[in-house]
Amino acid sequence: MAVLNRWRLAIGAMMSVTGLALSTMPVAAAEVKVLTAGAFKPVVTAIAADFEKQTGHKLVIDNDTAGALVKRINSGEAFDLVVLTPGALEPLAKDSKVVGGSVQRLAKVAIGVAVKRGAPLPDISSVDAFKSALLAARAVAYIDPAAGGSSGIYLSQWFEKAGIADRIKPKAVLVPGGLVAQRLVNDQADLAIHQISEILAVPGAQLVGPIPAEIQNYTVYAGAIGSAARDADTARALLSTLANAMTREVLRERGWRGRDAGSRRR
């Protein structure tokens, strides 16, 4: 609670500095459209109420897989702010879909393993133990690589490299988007592999831990302003809020790490 209170004060101070304090707001509130990859949606949602209170504007938050968002943007969908991986934002900046100079790294998150709350915790302390847990599971849920989710793409590649893809395929529960660990709660799977922040967002799921360090893959997220943003100033203020130190402290409590990328990232 103390962290959240300090964070709210920081938002208020930042709004005053950027000229978006309530006393200077225009009469008509604007809707600020935010497109975000699924893993980062809980973060944007968590700050939305305080940001709206401070600015008088309303955030319209829409999430999808990274691949799907890129397709939507390239098809001409309008937005003010987008949160994606740096690799996805780079071609969008080159094509002037986002303002290149506005791209700012926000945070990174690791892949973790989860079971249904109350279920026995499998051993994932080593790569061999992790492989054994996967092969022993009745059904394994993860993001469908075809949907463009970064963790699903990485895992499918690792299954091939580890020589277990053919054994995982019959038991795979491929999730097109959203909270993979939800498949544990409704008993569609007994093991879920997804970004830790999204696992922690499912009340009925229990985080076992991150996948072994030797094969860990961090997904880095960054924000950028849409080139055709209807309210670029407010979008820029929102991006500053997402990047400030107090928000990063809240992020850490939700399973995120600092925005500097590790050696393995997407």
Side-chain angles (χ1 to χ4, degrees), residues 33 35 62-64 67-78:
K33 185 173 180 179
L35 298 180
D62 191 357
N63 72 285
D64 212 328
L69 287 177
V70 170
K71 289 179 181 178
R72 288 166 56 177
I73 292 171
N74 282 327
S75 295
E77 182 166 342

Side-chain angles (χ1 to χ4, degrees), residues 1-27:
M1 183 60 70
V3 170
L4 287 173
N5 287 337
R6 295 199 306 273
W7 170 68
R8 285 166 179 152
L9 290 172
I11 291 180
M14 186 276 294
M15 292 297 105
S16 297
V17 170
T18 57
L20 285 171
L22 291 177
S23 62
T24 61
M25 288 306 303
V27 175

Side-chain angles (χ1 to χ4, degrees), residues 7 11 33 49 55 60 81 86 106 113 152 170 185 188-189 192 196 216 232 238 244-245 252-253 257 262 265:
W7 170 68
I11 291 180
K33 185 173 180 179
T55 66
V60 179
L81 177 71
L106 301 173
V113 179
V185 179
Q188 286 184 265
I196 289 176
Q216 183 56 263
L238 176 58
N244 71 30
R252 282 192 290 272
E253 294 182 347
R257 297 187 63 176
R265 64 184 185 271

Side-chain angles (χ1 to χ4, degrees), residues 84-167:
L84 283 171
T85 63
L89 288 173
E90 184 176 347
L92 293 177
K94 288 181 179 178
D95 292 339
S96 299
K97 301 292 185 180
V98 301
V99 179
S102 72
V103 177
Q104 186 164 1
R105 293 194 176 208
L106 301 173
K108 65 179 180 180
V109 64
I111 296 173
V113 179
V115 296
K116 187 174 182 178
R117 187 167 296 279
L121 304 184
D123 180 10
I124 60 168
S125 60
S126 68
V127 175
D128 285 342
F130 177 50
K131 288 170 64 174
S132 296
L134 288 169
L135 297 176
R138 169 185 58 88
V140 179
Y142 57 97
I143 285 286
D144 187 348
S150 57
S151 64
I153 293 171
Y154 173 75
L155 288 168
S156 65
Q157 293 171 345
W158 183 78
F159 294 154
E160 290 285 353
K161 184 178 180 179
I164 60 174
D166 290 343
R167 300 174 68 182

Side-chain angles (χ1 to χ4, degrees), residues 161-214:
K161 184 178 180 179
I164 60 174
D166 290 343
R167 300 174 68 182
I168 295 296
K169 186 176 180 180
K171 64 175 73 181
V173 178
L174 300 178
V175 183
L179 298 173
V180 170
Q182 189 63 42
R183 300 305 196 274
L184 301 170
V185 179
N186 60 22
D187 295 320
Q188 286 184 265
D190 50 7
L191 205 65
I193 316 172
H194 203 193
Q195 290 157 335
I196 289 176
S197 58
E198 298 206 67
I199 290 173
L200 295 177
V202 179
Q206 173 67 53
L207 175 67
V208 180
I211 64 175
E214 302 95 310

